[in-house]
């Protein structure tokens, strides 16, 4: 076998692919050769359809049940006035009460030793089940980051900063570089975690400059990507991960949201774990969807979730079994269900 270094993408590619994302249901229908007119445009207001073309390219043509399409296509159910799930869980706009845990604008700390920085409100893709769909980004504007940095400098218990969003990799290399250099200069911070969907939905985001930024910090870098279905992984994601792994000391993990009609079956999730591993990524969490208003169509009961997870445990080596977890406000850690 011949090994060659994987090539990062040229810097202009992701910028133009980001601008060129599909934002109209009619166009998505044309590309997929599907009549999508029965989708409710009203559901789109405030959280419009947005999906980059490299992700669309991995959807099956002429299949309304395609698991990638289901994640991004606005559905009429989003506007149904459902406020309680069949198992009694109440839905709300802010089920995680993230606002209560803000230590400064854009800085959320729920757990000891690690704090989450909202790096940008923007995302490359709009996932219909997103728990930050209704997040008051205007109160957490990255333009007011000084207060957050002051807290990080002050509190030497914080050893890990998690960049989240939105999607932190939507930031340009220049502004991401500035932010990381800033964190790098705070000596008690040891680890930098980046939660991002871009290596999946827009693999061309992996540029030489980005790799240089990640390679030149003294911080240990953990990149947590977000893939929900094996069909999301192809030769481009493999190339993106291979580039990232080439940067010294980077750990690559994946988190998945368990979604009805998308990936609520053990065979699909086992295939996802195996394909992730084949591409150099370890499964981390399998999340129960958060109880956000308008996302009831995606919810899986806890009983069903445990069944699926048990079936996965029977087929996968332990290191490929993600932790089944749920986010509950007021706890010292995420609740691990299995
Ligand atoms: C999920 C989450 C974390 C990270 O938790 P880990 O179990 O370390 O992955 C940190 N902060 C917030 C606010 C979170 O929601
Ligand atoms: S990429 Fe993440 S933050 Fe952005 S819409 Fe999807 S789930 Fe939400």
């Amino acid at each position: 076998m011949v090994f060659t270094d994987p090539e990062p993408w040229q810097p202009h590619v992701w910028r133009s692919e980001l601008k060129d994302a599909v934002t109209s249901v009619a166009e998505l229908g044309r590309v997929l050769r599907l009549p999508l007119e029965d989708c409710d445009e009203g559901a789109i207001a405030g959280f419009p359809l947005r999906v980059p073309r490299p992700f669309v390219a991995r959807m099956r043509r002429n299949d309304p049940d395609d698991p990638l399409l289901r994640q991004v296509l606005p559905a009429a159910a989003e506007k149904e006035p459902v406020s309680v799930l069949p198992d009694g869980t109440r839905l709300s706009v802010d089920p995680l009460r993230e606002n209560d845990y803000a230590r400064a604008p854009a800085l959320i700390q729920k757990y000891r030793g690690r704090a989450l920085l909202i790096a940008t409100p923007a995302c490359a893709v709009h996932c219909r089940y997103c728990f930050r769909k209704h997040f008051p980004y205007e109160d957490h504007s990255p333009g007011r980051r000084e207060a957050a940095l002051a807290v990080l400098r002050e509190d030497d218990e914080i050893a890990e900063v998690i960049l989240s969003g939105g999607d932190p990799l939507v930031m340009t290399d220049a502004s991401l570089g500035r932010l990381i250099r800033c964190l790098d200069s705070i000596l008690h911070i040891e680890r930098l975690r980046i939660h991002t969907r871009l290596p999946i939905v827009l693999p061309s985001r992996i540029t030489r400059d980005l790799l240089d930024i990640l390679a030149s910090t003294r911080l240990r870098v953990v990149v947590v990507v977000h893939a929900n279905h094996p069909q999301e992984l192809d030769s481009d994601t493999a190339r993106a991960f291979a580039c990232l792994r080439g940067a010294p000391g980077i750990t690559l993990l994946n988190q998945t949201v368990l979604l009805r009609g998308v990936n609520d079956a053990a065979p699909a999730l086992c295939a996802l774990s195996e394909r992730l591993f084949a591409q150099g990524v370890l499964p981390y969490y399998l999340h129960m969807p958060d109880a956000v208003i308008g996302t009831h169509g995606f919810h899986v009961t806890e009983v069903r979730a445990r069944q699926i997870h048990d079936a996965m445990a029977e087929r996968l080596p332990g290191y490929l079994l993600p932790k089944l977890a749920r986010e509950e406000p007021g706890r010292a850690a995420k609740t691990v269900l299995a």
Side-chain angles (χ1 to χ4, degrees):
M1 223 161 140
V2 182
F3 289 100
T4 48
D5 279 343
E7 270 296 307
W9 279 259
Q10 293 297 317
H12 61 272
V13 180
W14 77 275
R15 303 290 302 170
S16 62
E17 286 183 345
L18 188 66
K19 276 203 201 86
D20 189 37
V22 176
T23 53
S24 114
V25 174
E27 192 191 352
L28 188 57
R30 268 197 304 280
V31 175
L32 296 176
R33 286 186 239 109
L34 255 184
L36 289 178
E37 69 276 354
D38 50 347
C39 146
D40 179 4
E41 295 275 343
I44 301 181
F47 195 64
L49 170 80
R50 165 169 271 285
V51 51
R53 287 173 203 272
F55 196 70
V56 176
R58 289 172 230 151
M59 295 175 185
R60 290 190 296 262
R61 299 296 176 263
N62 197 16
D63 179 1
D65 297 324
D66 179 83
L68 279 55
L69 176 64
R70 296 285 296 257
Q71 295 176 55
V72 300
L73 184 66
E78 293 179 31
K79 286 288 155 185
E80 288 165 7
V82 173
S83 57
V84 187
L85 294 176
D87 66 2
T89 308
R90 300 200 70 80
L91 299 168
S92 76
V93 292
D94 180 20
L96 310 184
R97 299 210 310 269
E98 288 199 305
N99 247 333
D100 297 357
Y101 297 94
R103 293 194 57 187
L107 187 69
I108 296 165
Q109 186 177 16
K110 278 190 178 169
Y111 304 134
R112 261 184 94 156
R114 52 215 195 274
L116 189 150
L117 189 65
I118 304 282
T120 167
C123 280
V125 62
H126 286 172
C127 313
R128 303 321 297 178
Y129 52 85
C130 179
F131 69 102
R132 290 213 182 104
K133 232 170 158 171
H134 308 283
F135 190 75
Y137 284 112
E138 60 287 1
D139 299 336
H140 298 272
S141 149
R144 294 158 55 192
R145 191 176 284 143
E146 261 323 300
L149 290 171
V151 171
L152 292 174
R153 278 188 205 101
E154 193 69 20
D155 184 346
D156 62 10
E157 258 209 12
I158 298 175
E160 174 167 347
V161 173
I162 302 171
L163 299 186
S164 182
D167 195 311
L169 290 191
V170 169
M171 296 168 76
T172 62
D173 288 325
S175 46
L176 189 68
R178 269 196 302 279
L179 174 59
I180 292 178
R181 278 193 297 279
C182 218
L183 298 172
D184 192 293
S185 71
I186 304 173
L187 293 181
H188 55 263
I189 299 177
E190 293 162 17
R191 296 182 301 277
L192 174 72
R193 205 195 303 186
I194 301 177
H195 277 201
T196 176
R197 229 186 156 191
L198 262 72
I200 311 289
V201 301
L202 201 68
S204 57
R205 176 62 189 91
I206 309 307
T207 60
R208 169 64 56 206
D209 279 353
L210 176 66
L211 297 174
D212 287 347
I213 289 165
L214 298 179
S216 59
T217 173
R218 72 175 171 82
L219 303 167
R220 295 295 285 194
V221 177
V222 182
V223 176
V224 183
V225 299
H226 171 181
N228 296 322
H229 193 279
Q231 199 182 310
E232 292 173 38
L233 302 176
D234 67 359
S235 57
D236 281 339
T237 58
R239 173 175 162 198
F241 298 146
C243 288
L244 284 166
R245 273 182 306 137
I250 289 198
T251 301
L252 277 179
L253 303 173
N254 178 67
Q255 54 184 0
T256 297
V257 183
L258 181 58
L259 300 165
R260 191 165 84 204
V262 172
N263 61 6
D264 55 337
L269 290 171
C270 289
L272 174 60
S273 275
E274 284 168 351
R275 201 172 291 180
L276 282 165
F277 185 69
Q279 298 197 355
V281 183
L282 282 174
Y284 181 36
Y285 280 127
L286 175 61
H287 279 286
M288 296 295 285
D290 297 309
V292 178
I293 285 271
T295 63
H296 52 275
F298 288 113
H299 279 266
V300 176
T301 64
E302 194 175 316
V303 172
R304 178 76 189 122
R306 285 178 195 274
Q307 282 170 353
I308 293 169
H309 194 268
D310 286 349
M312 291 171 72
E314 286 170 12
R315 295 183 211 181
L316 290 172
Y319 59 89
L320 293 189
L321 186 67
K323 284 188 267 197
L324 178 64
R326 180 165 55 205
E327 188 77 35
E328 289 172 15
R331 299 238 182 169
K334 293 184 205 297
T335 309
V336 175
L337 302 176

